[in-house]
Amino acid sequence: MTSHRILNIATPLMALLIMAMAWSCTADTTYHKYVAVGEEGWSAHDTLVFDIDTLRTNGNFTTYVCLRAKPDFPYRYLSMIVEQTCMPSGNKERKTVRCEVVNSDGVMTGVGITYHTYEIPVFTGTHRSGEHIKVAIKHNMTREYMPGLMDVGVKLKVATK
């Protein structure tokens, strides 16, 4: 068998393998979206709202707040108020969430090099097919603008048992 023929067979197989690996990593994620907060920082007056469209299945899900922070983030912790509303039931949950961005040694605790990613589990509960979920997030810090953040997001993922 020539090397050209082996390459023609191996290329589609590798592509299928890569697609299967990518699917297996994200199959339990129902929603994942980020919003950029701007160069000047996240304003205390900006409530970021994420609309999770109609769920297709019943199940237990965990809602995560996701952050992307730059190395110049000026505080150890970021405090946020997170509110989740489920429709059509109208059920609301509200929590104050505190994320450790930098540890006591001055090292960022997130994953990454250029920027650091954080995923903070906030709510876990049962949701029904047909539900629409709205998640609203605002920072709860005394400073007007919160510098050092690039993006804030939400992830809805099948809850692990």
Side-chain angles (χ1 to χ4, degrees), residues 9-24:
I9 293 170
T11 301
L13 291 175
M14 286 300 292
L16 284 173
L17 179 63
I18 290 169
M19 286 180 1
M21 288 170 51
W23 174 255
S24 68

Side-chain angles (χ1 to χ4, degrees), residues 62-66 95 97 118-124 155:
T62 300
T63 304
Y64 295 82
V65 169
C66 305
K95 286 188 180 177
V97 177
Y118 303 81
E119 289 187 358
I120 306 103
V122 181
F123 305 109
T124 298
K155 179 189 273 191

